[in-house]
Amino acid sequence: MNRIMRKTVTALAALATSASMAAAADVEVLHWWTSGGEASALNVLKEDLAAQGIGWQDMPVAGGGGTQAMTVLRARVTSGNAPAAVQMLGFDITDWAKEGALANLNPIAEEGGWDAVVPEALQKFSKYDGEWIAVPVNIHSTNWVWANKPLLDELGIAQPTTWDELVAAMEAVKAAGKTAVAHGGQAWQDATIFDAVAMATGGPEFYQAAFIDLDPEALGSDTMKEVFDRMTVIRGYVDDNFSGRDWNLASAMVINGDAAFQFMGDWAKGEFLNAGKVPNEDFLCFRFPGTENQVTFNTDQFAVFSQGDEVSPEQAALAEAVISPEFQIAFNTVKGSVPARTDVSVETFDACGQKAYADLKAASSSGNLFGSMAHGHANPASVKNAMYDVITAQFNGEFDSETAVEEMVSAVELSQ
Ligand code: BGC
Protein backbone atom coordinates (compact mmCIF):
# COMPACT_ATOMS: atom_id res chain seq x y z
CA MET A 1 0.00 0.00 0.00
CA ASN A 2 1.53 3.31 -0.99
CA ARG A 3 1.58 6.30 1.34
CA ILE A 4 -1.41 8.05 -0.18
CA MET A 5 -3.52 4.89 -0.12
CA ARG A 6 -2.51 4.19 3.47
CA LYS A 7 -3.48 7.74 4.43
CA THR A 8 -6.85 7.41 2.70
CA VAL A 9 -7.59 4.10 4.39
CA THR A 10 -6.67 5.56 7.79
CA ALA A 11 -8.84 8.61 7.14
CA LEU A 12 -11.77 6.46 6.04
CA ALA A 13 -11.39 4.22 9.09
CA ALA A 14 -11.35 7.26 11.36
CA LEU A 15 -14.46 8.58 9.63
CA ALA A 16 -16.21 5.24 9.98
CA THR A 17 -15.34 5.07 13.66
CA SER A 18 -16.56 8.57 14.36
CA ALA A 19 -19.72 7.97 12.32
CA SER A 20 -20.51 4.78 14.19
CA MET A 21 -19.70 6.50 17.48
CA ALA A 22 -22.04 9.33 16.61
CA ALA A 23 -24.77 6.88 15.70
CA ALA A 24 -24.00 4.80 18.77
CA ALA A 25 -23.93 7.77 21.11
CA ASP A 26 -27.68 8.36 21.27
CA VAL A 27 -30.28 6.53 23.24
CA GLU A 28 -33.93 6.99 22.36
CA VAL A 29 -36.27 6.84 25.33
CA LEU A 30 -40.06 6.81 25.14
CA HIS A 31 -41.69 8.13 28.32
CA TRP A 32 -44.60 10.18 29.67
CA TRP A 33 -42.71 12.37 32.10
CA THR A 34 -43.83 15.72 30.73
CA SER A 35 -44.99 17.71 33.79
CA GLY A 36 -42.66 20.22 35.46
CA GLY A 37 -41.72 17.91 38.33
CA GLU A 38 -41.31 14.91 36.05
CA ALA A 39 -39.14 16.86 33.60
CA SER A 40 -36.78 17.97 36.37
CA ALA A 41 -36.43 14.38 37.51
CA LEU A 42 -35.76 13.23 33.96
CA ASN A 43 -33.05 15.87 33.64
CA VAL A 44 -31.09 14.04 36.32
CA LEU A 45 -30.89 11.06 33.98
CA LYS A 46 -30.16 13.10 30.86
CA GLU A 47 -27.27 14.83 32.61
CA ASP A 48 -25.94 11.58 33.99
CA LEU A 49 -25.81 10.07 30.48
CA ALA A 50 -24.45 13.26 28.91
CA ALA A 51 -21.51 13.06 31.33
CA GLN A 52 -20.79 9.64 29.82
CA GLY A 53 -20.95 11.03 26.29
CA ILE A 54 -24.34 9.50 25.58
CA GLY A 55 -26.92 11.70 23.89
CA TRP A 56 -30.61 11.65 24.70
CA GLN A 57 -33.16 11.25 21.97
CA ASP A 58 -36.38 12.30 23.59
CA MET A 59 -39.67 10.60 22.75
CA PRO A 60 -42.19 12.13 25.18
CA VAL A 61 -45.83 11.13 24.93
CA ALA A 62 -47.91 13.28 27.28
CA GLY A 63 -50.63 11.63 29.30
CA GLY A 64 -50.38 10.64 32.95
CA GLY A 65 -50.40 6.95 33.77
CA GLY A 66 -48.94 6.20 30.33
CA THR A 67 -52.11 5.25 28.45
CA GLN A 68 -51.22 7.30 25.36
CA ALA A 69 -47.54 6.31 25.56
CA MET A 70 -48.49 2.65 25.34
CA THR A 71 -50.58 3.31 22.20
CA VAL A 72 -47.67 5.11 20.54
CA LEU A 73 -45.32 2.32 21.55
CA ARG A 74 -47.52 -0.31 19.93
CA ALA A 75 -47.48 1.66 16.67
CA ARG A 76 -43.69 2.07 16.80
CA VAL A 77 -43.05 -1.61 17.40
CA THR A 78 -45.56 -2.65 14.74
CA SER A 79 -43.74 -0.51 12.20
CA GLY A 80 -40.43 -2.18 13.14
CA ASN A 81 -39.01 0.90 14.83
CA ALA A 82 -38.94 0.19 18.56
CA PRO A 83 -37.30 2.83 20.80
CA ALA A 84 -34.19 1.70 22.70
CA ALA A 85 -35.87 1.99 26.08
CA VAL A 86 -39.40 2.65 27.25
CA GLN A 87 -40.85 3.80 30.57
CA MET A 88 -43.27 1.07 31.50
CA LEU A 89 -45.50 -0.16 34.28
CA GLY A 90 -45.92 -3.64 35.74
CA PHE A 91 -47.91 -6.03 33.61
CA ASP A 92 -47.19 -4.07 30.42
CA ILE A 93 -43.57 -5.17 30.79
CA THR A 94 -44.67 -8.79 31.13
CA ASP A 95 -46.93 -8.47 28.08
CA TRP A 96 -44.04 -7.20 25.91
CA ALA A 97 -41.70 -9.83 27.30
CA LYS A 98 -44.20 -12.51 26.29
CA GLU A 99 -44.08 -11.15 22.77
CA GLY A 100 -40.29 -11.61 22.77
CA ALA A 101 -39.70 -7.89 22.16
CA LEU A 102 -37.39 -7.19 25.10
CA ALA A 103 -33.64 -7.62 25.42
CA ASN A 104 -31.95 -9.87 27.95
CA LEU A 105 -30.12 -7.76 30.54
CA ASN A 106 -28.79 -10.71 32.55
CA PRO A 107 -25.07 -10.06 31.96
CA ILE A 108 -25.46 -6.46 33.21
CA ALA A 109 -27.71 -7.51 36.07
CA GLU A 110 -25.28 -10.20 37.18
CA GLU A 111 -22.34 -7.83 37.12
CA GLY A 112 -24.32 -5.25 39.08
CA GLY A 113 -25.69 -7.78 41.58
CA TRP A 114 -29.28 -6.67 40.90
CA ASP A 115 -30.79 -9.87 42.32
CA ALA A 116 -29.57 -9.00 45.79
CA VAL A 117 -30.65 -5.35 45.91
CA VAL A 118 -33.91 -5.00 43.95
CA PRO A 119 -36.97 -5.85 46.11
CA GLU A 120 -38.83 -9.04 45.19
CA ALA A 121 -42.07 -7.14 44.52
CA LEU A 122 -40.26 -5.25 41.73
CA GLN A 123 -38.34 -8.21 40.35
CA LYS A 124 -41.69 -9.80 39.58
CA PHE A 125 -41.99 -7.20 36.81
CA SER A 126 -38.31 -6.65 35.91
CA LYS A 127 -37.82 -10.32 35.07
CA TYR A 128 -39.48 -12.74 32.76
CA ASP A 129 -38.62 -16.39 32.45
CA GLY A 130 -35.44 -15.89 34.48
CA GLU A 131 -34.24 -12.98 32.35
CA TRP A 132 -33.94 -9.36 33.47
CA ILE A 133 -35.78 -7.42 30.77
CA ALA A 134 -36.31 -4.08 32.51
CA VAL A 135 -34.42 -1.89 34.93
CA PRO A 136 -36.40 -0.39 37.85
CA VAL A 137 -36.21 3.37 38.31
CA ASN A 138 -38.28 3.92 41.41
CA ILE A 139 -41.13 2.89 43.68
CA HIS A 140 -44.20 5.11 43.77
CA SER A 141 -47.34 4.57 45.78
CA THR A 142 -50.83 5.65 44.93
CA ASN A 143 -52.81 5.90 48.19
CA TRP A 144 -51.82 9.43 49.18
CA VAL A 145 -53.56 12.69 49.95
CA TRP A 146 -51.82 16.00 49.14
CA ALA A 147 -53.21 18.96 51.04
CA ASN A 148 -52.65 22.70 51.15
CA LYS A 149 -51.61 23.26 54.78
CA PRO A 150 -52.20 27.02 55.11
CA LEU A 151 -55.70 26.57 53.68
CA LEU A 152 -56.56 23.79 56.14
CA ASP A 153 -55.13 25.87 58.99
CA GLU A 154 -57.12 28.91 57.93
CA LEU A 155 -60.32 26.87 57.87
CA GLY A 156 -59.49 25.08 61.13
CA ILE A 157 -59.52 21.67 59.48
CA ALA A 158 -57.42 18.93 61.08
CA GLN A 159 -55.83 16.20 58.98
CA PRO A 160 -58.66 13.68 58.43
CA THR A 161 -57.98 10.13 59.58
CA THR A 162 -61.28 8.40 58.75
CA TRP A 163 -63.71 8.47 55.84
CA ASP A 164 -66.23 10.45 57.91
CA GLU A 165 -63.60 13.00 58.87
CA LEU A 166 -62.59 13.30 55.25
CA VAL A 167 -66.19 13.94 54.20
CA ALA A 168 -66.55 16.56 56.96
CA ALA A 169 -63.31 18.22 55.84
CA MET A 170 -64.40 18.28 52.18
CA GLU A 171 -67.74 19.76 53.23
CA ALA A 172 -66.04 22.49 55.28
CA VAL A 173 -63.81 23.45 52.34
CA LYS A 174 -66.78 23.58 49.99
CA ALA A 175 -68.75 25.69 52.46
CA ALA A 176 -65.85 28.15 52.50
CA GLY A 177 -66.19 28.60 48.74
CA LYS A 178 -63.06 26.69 47.75
CA THR A 179 -62.69 23.50 45.74
CA ALA A 180 -62.40 20.57 48.13
CA VAL A 181 -60.92 18.05 45.70
CA ALA A 182 -58.59 18.98 42.86
CA HIS A 183 -59.16 16.34 40.24
CA GLY A 184 -58.76 15.73 36.57
CA GLY A 185 -61.49 13.70 34.90
CA GLN A 186 -59.36 11.19 33.02
CA ALA A 187 -59.90 7.45 33.37
CA TRP A 188 -56.55 6.76 35.03
CA GLN A 189 -57.08 9.57 37.56
CA ASP A 190 -60.57 8.33 38.43
CA ALA A 191 -59.03 4.88 38.87
CA THR A 192 -56.26 6.26 41.09
CA ILE A 193 -58.86 7.62 43.51
CA PHE A 194 -60.85 4.40 43.22
CA ASP A 195 -57.74 2.39 44.21
CA ALA A 196 -57.50 4.27 47.50
CA VAL A 197 -61.23 4.32 48.20
CA ALA A 198 -61.43 0.55 47.57
CA MET A 199 -58.56 -0.15 49.95
CA ALA A 200 -60.04 2.16 52.59
CA THR A 201 -63.53 0.67 52.27
CA GLY A 202 -62.82 -3.02 51.94
CA GLY A 203 -59.37 -3.41 53.46
CA PRO A 204 -56.50 -5.53 52.16
CA GLU A 205 -58.40 -8.83 51.84
CA PHE A 206 -61.03 -7.20 49.67
CA TYR A 207 -58.39 -5.44 47.56
CA GLN A 208 -56.56 -8.72 47.02
CA ALA A 209 -59.72 -10.66 46.18
CA ALA A 210 -61.27 -8.06 43.86
CA PHE A 211 -58.33 -6.57 42.00
CA ILE A 212 -55.61 -9.19 42.11
CA ASP A 213 -57.50 -12.50 42.28
CA LEU A 214 -60.45 -11.09 40.28
CA ASP A 215 -62.85 -13.02 42.46
CA PRO A 216 -66.37 -12.45 41.03
CA GLU A 217 -67.84 -12.52 44.52
CA ALA A 218 -65.65 -9.65 45.71
CA LEU A 219 -66.17 -7.78 42.46
CA GLY A 220 -69.93 -8.10 42.83
CA SER A 221 -70.08 -7.52 46.58
CA ASP A 222 -71.89 -4.97 48.73
CA THR A 223 -68.45 -3.66 49.62
CA MET A 224 -67.88 -2.84 45.95
CA LYS A 225 -71.20 -1.00 45.92
CA GLU A 226 -70.07 1.03 48.92
CA VAL A 227 -66.84 1.88 47.08
CA PHE A 228 -68.89 3.27 44.20
CA ASP A 229 -71.18 5.12 46.65
CA ARG A 230 -68.11 6.81 48.09
CA MET A 231 -66.90 7.72 44.60
CA THR A 232 -70.23 9.50 44.14
CA VAL A 233 -69.62 11.41 47.37
CA ILE A 234 -66.17 12.51 46.13
CA ARG A 235 -67.71 13.48 42.78
CA GLY A 236 -69.74 16.03 44.72
CA TYR A 237 -66.58 17.84 45.82
CA VAL A 238 -64.72 18.36 42.54
CA ASP A 239 -65.07 21.64 40.65
CA ASP A 240 -67.14 22.13 37.50
CA ASN A 241 -64.13 22.14 35.17
CA PHE A 242 -62.62 18.84 36.26
CA SER A 243 -63.31 17.01 33.02
CA GLY A 244 -60.16 16.17 31.05
CA ARG A 245 -57.85 18.20 33.31
CA ASP A 246 -54.27 16.93 33.53
CA TRP A 247 -53.18 15.68 36.96
CA ASN A 248 -50.40 18.25 37.32
CA LEU A 249 -52.88 21.08 36.77
CA ALA A 250 -54.95 19.57 39.56
CA SER A 251 -51.79 19.55 41.74
CA ALA A 252 -51.33 23.23 40.86
CA MET A 253 -54.79 23.99 42.28
CA VAL A 254 -53.67 22.64 45.65
CA ILE A 255 -50.27 24.35 45.36
CA ASN A 256 -51.97 27.70 44.68
CA GLY A 257 -54.51 27.32 47.47
CA ASP A 258 -57.50 27.11 45.12
CA ALA A 259 -58.20 23.60 46.31
CA ALA A 260 -57.59 21.74 49.56
CA PHE A 261 -56.90 18.12 48.60
CA GLN A 262 -55.64 15.98 45.76
CA PHE A 263 -55.87 12.17 45.91
CA MET A 264 -52.90 11.15 43.82
CA GLY A 265 -49.72 9.07 43.74
CA ASP A 266 -46.51 10.57 45.10
CA TRP A 267 -45.40 11.90 41.72
CA ALA A 268 -47.62 14.82 42.84
CA LYS A 269 -44.91 15.70 45.35
CA GLY A 270 -42.61 16.40 42.41
CA GLU A 271 -44.96 19.25 41.42
CA PHE A 272 -44.98 20.73 44.92
CA LEU A 273 -41.18 20.59 45.12
CA ASN A 274 -40.85 22.03 41.64
CA ALA A 275 -42.96 24.98 42.82
CA GLY A 276 -40.60 25.50 45.77
CA LYS A 277 -43.04 24.15 48.35
CA VAL A 278 -41.93 22.50 51.59
CA PRO A 279 -43.56 19.44 53.21
CA ASN A 280 -45.33 20.10 56.52
CA GLU A 281 -45.07 23.86 55.97
CA ASP A 282 -46.81 24.44 52.65
CA PHE A 283 -48.32 21.05 52.09
CA LEU A 284 -49.18 17.84 53.88
CA CYS A 285 -48.74 14.30 52.62
CA PHE A 286 -50.72 11.58 54.32
CA ARG A 287 -52.23 8.23 53.46
CA PHE A 288 -55.80 8.18 52.21
CA PRO A 289 -57.86 7.90 55.43
CA GLY A 290 -58.32 4.25 56.33
CA THR A 291 -55.24 3.04 54.42
CA GLU A 292 -52.55 4.08 56.91
CA ASN A 293 -51.12 0.55 57.09
CA GLN A 294 -51.39 -0.35 53.43
CA VAL A 295 -49.43 0.64 50.39
CA THR A 296 -50.61 0.25 46.81
CA PHE A 297 -47.44 0.62 44.78
CA ASN A 298 -46.27 1.01 41.24
CA THR A 299 -42.77 1.07 39.88
CA ASP A 300 -41.56 2.82 36.76
CA GLN A 301 -39.11 0.66 34.90
CA PHE A 302 -37.24 1.09 31.64
CA ALA A 303 -37.98 -1.89 29.46
CA VAL A 304 -35.17 -2.37 26.99
CA PHE A 305 -36.27 -3.33 23.48
CA SER A 306 -34.06 -5.71 21.52
CA GLN A 307 -32.45 -4.08 18.57
CA GLY A 308 -30.45 -7.01 17.30
CA ASP A 309 -28.82 -9.86 19.16
CA GLU A 310 -27.26 -7.99 22.02
CA VAL A 311 -27.94 -5.06 24.24
CA SER A 312 -26.33 -1.98 22.64
CA PRO A 313 -23.64 -0.06 24.58
CA GLU A 314 -26.04 2.87 25.07
CA GLN A 315 -28.80 0.60 26.36
CA ALA A 316 -26.28 -0.93 28.75
CA ALA A 317 -25.10 2.50 29.88
CA LEU A 318 -28.71 3.60 30.48
CA ALA A 319 -29.45 0.49 32.54
CA GLU A 320 -26.29 0.86 34.61
CA ALA A 321 -26.89 4.58 35.18
CA VAL A 322 -30.48 3.99 36.31
CA ILE A 323 -29.70 1.28 38.83
CA SER A 324 -26.72 3.05 40.40
CA PRO A 325 -27.26 4.12 44.03
CA GLU A 326 -26.25 7.74 43.28
CA PHE A 327 -28.83 8.02 40.52
CA GLN A 328 -31.53 6.32 42.60
CA ILE A 329 -31.08 8.92 45.33
CA ALA A 330 -30.77 11.96 43.05
CA PHE A 331 -33.67 11.05 40.78
CA ASN A 332 -36.14 9.89 43.42
CA THR A 333 -35.49 12.93 45.61
CA VAL A 334 -36.91 15.06 42.81
CA LYS A 335 -39.52 12.63 41.44
CA GLY A 336 -41.43 11.99 44.67
CA SER A 337 -40.77 8.26 44.61
CA VAL A 338 -38.31 6.18 46.63
CA PRO A 339 -35.33 4.12 45.47
CA ALA A 340 -35.86 0.79 43.76
CA ARG A 341 -33.04 -0.83 45.72
CA THR A 342 -32.83 -1.82 49.35
CA ASP A 343 -29.22 -0.83 50.02
CA VAL A 344 -29.43 2.96 49.72
CA SER A 345 -30.16 5.37 52.52
CA VAL A 346 -33.09 7.79 52.33
CA GLU A 347 -31.85 9.95 55.22
CA THR A 348 -31.45 12.91 52.89
CA PHE A 349 -35.07 12.59 51.67
CA ASP A 350 -37.72 15.07 52.84
CA ALA A 351 -40.42 14.15 55.37
CA CYS A 352 -42.81 12.75 52.74
CA GLY A 353 -40.05 10.69 51.12
CA GLN A 354 -39.00 9.23 54.45
CA LYS A 355 -42.61 8.41 55.26
CA ALA A 356 -43.05 6.79 51.85
CA TYR A 357 -40.02 4.59 52.46
CA ALA A 358 -40.97 3.67 56.03
CA ASP A 359 -44.57 2.87 55.01
CA LEU A 360 -43.34 0.71 52.17
CA LYS A 361 -41.02 -1.30 54.39
CA ALA A 362 -43.68 -1.76 57.05
CA ALA A 363 -46.35 -2.74 54.49
CA SER A 364 -44.00 -5.17 52.85
CA SER A 365 -43.14 -6.97 56.07
CA SER A 366 -46.75 -7.07 57.33
CA GLY A 367 -48.18 -8.42 54.05
CA ASN A 368 -49.89 -5.10 53.25
CA LEU A 369 -48.06 -4.21 50.06
CA PHE A 370 -50.20 -4.53 46.91
CA GLY A 371 -49.63 -3.76 43.27
CA SER A 372 -51.80 -0.80 42.25
CA MET A 373 -54.74 -1.68 40.02
CA ALA A 374 -54.87 1.86 38.60
CA HIS A 375 -51.19 1.77 37.67
CA GLY A 376 -50.90 -1.60 36.02
CA HIS A 377 -49.48 -3.61 38.88
CA ALA A 378 -52.49 -5.75 39.77
CA ASN A 379 -53.52 -7.00 36.36
CA PRO A 380 -52.69 -6.90 32.66
CA ALA A 381 -53.84 -3.92 30.61
CA SER A 382 -56.87 -5.78 29.24
CA VAL A 383 -58.35 -6.18 32.73
CA LYS A 384 -57.16 -2.78 33.94
CA ASN A 385 -58.79 -1.01 31.00
CA ALA A 386 -62.04 -2.90 31.51
CA MET A 387 -62.09 -1.65 35.11
CA TYR A 388 -61.18 1.88 34.01
CA ASP A 389 -64.23 2.00 31.73
CA VAL A 390 -66.66 1.08 34.49
CA ILE A 391 -65.05 3.35 37.09
CA THR A 392 -65.09 6.36 34.77
CA ALA A 393 -68.63 5.75 33.56
CA GLN A 394 -69.88 5.56 37.15
CA PHE A 395 -67.90 8.63 38.24
CA ASN A 396 -69.50 10.59 35.43
CA GLY A 397 -72.97 9.49 36.41
CA GLU A 398 -73.59 7.01 33.57
CA PHE A 399 -74.20 4.15 36.03
CA ASP A 400 -75.60 4.16 39.52
CA SER A 401 -73.59 2.14 42.06
CA GLU A 402 -75.65 -1.00 41.67
CA THR A 403 -75.30 -1.04 37.89
CA ALA A 404 -71.59 -0.26 38.19
CA VAL A 405 -71.11 -3.34 40.37
CA GLU A 406 -72.86 -5.54 37.79
CA GLU A 407 -70.85 -3.94 34.98
CA MET A 408 -67.63 -4.49 36.90
CA VAL A 409 -68.30 -8.22 37.22
CA SER A 410 -69.16 -8.67 33.55
CA ALA A 411 -66.42 -6.36 32.20
CA VAL A 412 -63.75 -8.22 34.14
CA GLU A 413 -65.10 -11.58 33.02
CA LEU A 414 -65.12 -10.50 29.36
CA SER A 415 -61.63 -9.02 29.55
CA GLN A 416 -59.94 -12.30 30.52
C1 BGC B 1 -46.03 6.91 36.74
C2 BGC B 1 -45.36 8.13 37.28
C3 BGC B 1 -45.91 9.36 36.59
C4 BGC B 1 -47.42 9.38 36.71
C5 BGC B 1 -48.08 10.58 36.09
C6 BGC B 1 -47.54 7.04 36.81
O1 BGC B 1 -48.14 5.93 36.21
O2 BGC B 1 -45.65 5.78 37.49
O3 BGC B 1 -43.98 8.07 37.10
O4 BGC B 1 -45.32 10.50 37.15
O5 BGC B 1 -47.95 8.23 36.12
O6 BGC B 1 -47.71 10.75 34.78
Side-chain angles (χ1 to χ4, degrees):
M1 209 187 282
N2 67 29
R3 233 190 75 215
I4 298 185
M5 262 183 77
R6 211 178 304 125
K7 261 191 145 172
T8 315
V9 170
T10 317
L12 279 175
L15 203 69
T17 315
S18 70
S20 73
M21 271 177 62
D26 261 9
V27 63
E28 189 191 14
V29 181
L30 191 153
H31 62 90
W32 64 93
W33 285 328
T34 54
S35 77
E38 291 172 330
S40 347
L42 196 58
N43 268 338
V44 175
L45 181 57
K46 290 183 189 170
E47 281 163 17
D48 197 318
L49 292 173
Q52 300 182 50
I54 296 173
W56 182 270
Q57 208 180 311
D58 208 25
M59 181 68 201
V61 182
T67 311
Q68 287 86 333
M70 290 304 103
T71 308
V72 170
L73 173 65
R74 174 65 59 190
R76 287 280 307 261
V77 178
T78 308
S79 65
N81 182 24
V86 180
Q87 176 194 358
M88 223 182 260
L89 297 175
F91 280 92
D92 289 335
I93 307 175
T94 314
D95 281 350
W96 281 108
K98 279 186 187 156
E99 290 192 28
L102 305 182
N104 179 1
L105 300 172
N106 276 6
I108 307 167
E110 272 159 30
E111 209 185 306
W114 296 5
D115 273 303
V117 295
V118 174
E120 281 292 322
L122 272 59
Q123 288 195 28
K124 178 176 169 204
F125 301 107
S126 325
K127 281 172 136 179
Y128 182 72
D129 228 359
E131 288 182 5
W132 283 87
I133 33 81
V135 52
V137 185
N138 60 15
I139 312 176
H140 271 302
S141 52
T142 62
N143 54 321
W144 286 105
V145 181
W146 305 91
N148 183 300
K149 186 170 186 307
L151 180 59
L152 294 194
D153 290 348
E154 186 191 314
L155 300 177
I157 298 172
Q159 182 180 311
T161 58
T162 61
W163 170 254
D164 290 343
E165 284 178 20
L166 177 65
V167 175
M170 293 190 293
E171 188 55 39
V173 177
K174 190 175 178 178
K178 295 270 187 179
T179 300
V181 180
H183 179 58
Q186 296 173 344
W188 74 273
Q189 292 189 61
D190 299 340
T192 301
I193 299 186
F194 189 87
D195 237 8
V197 173
M199 182 63 89
T201 310
E205 285 89 31
F206 170 74
Y207 194 92
Q208 169 78 34
F211 302 113
I212 297 169
D213 302 340
L214 304 180
D215 170 9
E217 243 177 68
L219 289 166
S221 63
D222 290 347
T223 306
M224 187 63 87
K225 180 177 172 297
E226 197 184 342
V227 177
F228 281 115
D229 286 343
R230 287 181 169 187
M231 292 299 285
T232 305
V233 172
I234 291 176
R235 173 70 180 80
Y237 292 106
V238 304
D239 69 325
D240 290 344
N241 299 319
F242 82 103
S243 202
R245 176 188 288 135
D246 286 332
W247 68 273
N248 53 313
L249 301 180
S251 303
M253 291 167 67
V254 178
I255 292 171
N256 299 334
D258 294 331
F261 304 111
Q262 183 182 23
F263 309 136
M264 187 45 68
D266 43 16
W267 44 90
K269 191 185 81 180
E271 298 307 299
F272 284 84
L273 300 183
N274 200 45
K277 302 296 179 190
V278 178
N280 293 335
E281 282 177 29
D282 303 310
F283 68 97
L284 300 176
C285 55
F286 54 95
R287 293 289 169 190
F288 192 88
T291 70
E292 283 78 10
N293 299 320
Q294 286 88 38
V295 170
T296 42
F297 82 98
N298 64 310
T299 152
D300 291 302
Q301 308 210 10
F302 281 130
V304 173
F305 277 73
S306 10
Q307 300 190 318
D309 288 344
E310 285 184 29
V311 175
S312 75
E314 308 74 48
Q315 288 175 317
L318 174 79
E320 279 163 359
V322 161
I323 203 74
S324 79
E326 301 73 29
F327 170 82
Q328 289 281 329
I329 292 173
F331 178 91
N332 288 306
T333 298
V334 181
K335 183 69 172 64
S337 34
V338 296
R341 45 191 298 162
T342 50
D343 61 340
V344 299
S345 161
V346 292
E347 66 184 15
T348 56
F349 280 51
D350 63 29
C352 299
Q354 298 213 12
K355 175 171 169 53
Y357 198 73
D359 288 356
L360 194 74
K361 269 175 70 179
S364 169
S365 52
S366 63
N368 279 300
L369 179 64
F370 297 90
S372 155
M373 175 278 288
H375 291 268
H377 283 70
N379 265 293
S382 50
V383 177
K384 178 187 83 171
N385 291 332
M387 290 186 174
Y388 272 19
D389 288 347
V390 179
I391 293 165
T392 288
Q394 190 272 343
F395 195 72
N396 289 296
E398 251 174 74
F399 301 144
D400 60 19
S401 298
E402 234 154 73
T403 314
V405 171
E406 286 161 15
E407 291 288 330
M408 189 66 124
V409 175
S410 61
V412 169
E413 194 187 325
L414 286 171
S415 71
Q416 292 180 81

